[in-house]
Amino acid sequence: MNCIPIAPFGGRPVICVAGGPSLTLGQVRHVGIARSRDLSRVIAVNDAVYPCWFADVLHACDKRWWDRHHGVPRFLGLKTSLEPTGYHDVRMLKNTGIEGYDESPGCIRGGSNGGYQAVHLAAKLGARSIVLVGYDFTPDGAMDHWFGLHGVGDGRPMDKKSNVQNWLRMFRDLTDELGRRGVKVENATIKSSIDWLPNISLDAKWAN
């Protein structure tokens, strides 16, 4: 397990881009513009790295994902996982439980999904403001994504129904804890079950 760098984002807002089906190319464009102007930093969750190749961090929890994507060798940003992957440039974070926030170096809580982990990681990397994109948490079990299904791959399907109500409960606890720590979390997802966070528009926050 390798420790992640301390506060490399310098207090800039961090946009976490996940896999929810409401994610649009227009939103990706706004995220890219904000990053190109040095107004934000970006964490891409799993396949979000492909439209967000400009991301600073690629986080994918599972070794299976890294194997299916061959370690994404041409991505030059920080790569993180919660499982040992066998790829020398993917830093494994220590999973210290499912719920809550762990401030210890190199440690993170799982929350049962990569979107939770990305927000936790953003706060550990120094974010004081976090914006969510593609965080639908759809009631169908969050199986679908903006790109469809992950596919069969090695015969072990990655798209399984999840307890979204449990996701929401744990995620609310995390964002409440971050709020107490002075970290603001806003939701720019077009269609989301996360109803307790302020809703914002990317084009309003980072106008063309």
Side-chain angles (χ1 to χ4, degrees):
M1 186 269 295
N2 297 312
C3 289
I4 57 176
I6 299 174
F9 290 162
R12 291 178 178 82
V14 176
I15 307 172
C16 294
V17 185
S22 72
L23 181 70
T24 68
L25 187 58
Q27 286 189 306
V28 171
R29 174 178 176 270
H30 283 298
V31 175
I33 289 172
R35 181 62 188 89
S36 72
R37 295 177 178 171
D38 203 29
L39 300 176
S40 70
R41 295 293 180 261
V42 178
I43 297 178
V45 180
N46 297 339
D47 292 67
V49 70
Y50 294 115
C52 297
W53 198 250
F54 48 80
D56 300 274
V57 179
L58 163 57
H59 177 75
C61 175
D62 302 320
K63 181 181 187 300
R64 278 188 299 163
W65 188 92
W66 288 103
D67 285 342
R68 290 183 181 189
H69 297 267
H70 309 288
V72 198
R74 294 190 180 277
F75 179 74
L76 301 181
L78 175 65
K79 303 176 189 178
T80 57
S81 176
L82 287 194
E83 295 181 351
T85 66
Y87 297 98
H88 70 91
D89 57 346
V90 179
R91 301 190 185 195
M92 193 186 90
L93 305 174
K94 184 178 181 180
N95 187 347
T96 58
I98 298 176
E99 302 182 46
Y101 180 82
D102 192 330
E103 61 186 10
S104 304
C107 297
I108 203 169
R109 300 291 166 85
S112 296
N113 67 88
Y116 181 108
Q117 296 154 27
V119 170
H120 191 304
L121 180 58
K124 297 202 72 166
L125 290 171
R128 308 306 295 170
S129 173
I130 300 171
V131 177
L132 311 179
V133 185
Y135 278 68
D136 295 50
F137 283 18
T138 49
D140 67 353
M143 289 184 65
D144 200 9
H145 309 88
W146 54 267
F147 54 86
L149 298 177
H150 281 283
V152 176
D154 57 8
R156 296 178 297 164
M158 294 184 67
D159 301 298
K160 299 178 181 180
K161 284 192 175 182
S162 302
N163 186 334
V164 175
Q165 288 304 313
N166 202 35
W167 281 15
L168 290 166
R169 179 187 60 78
M170 291 189 290
F171 195 63
R172 181 160 196 166
D173 289 345
L174 174 64
T175 57
D176 286 349
E177 174 61 25
L178 293 181
R180 289 189 287 271
R181 293 170 176 266
V183 180
K184 183 178 182 180
V185 184
E186 299 172 302
N187 192 5
T189 303
I190 292 174
K191 184 179 181 181
S192 178
S193 297
I194 300 170
D195 58 7
W196 64 89
L197 295 176
N199 290 102
I200 65 166
S201 169
L202 290 176
D203 57 354
K205 191 172 183 71
W206 288 290
N208 292 347

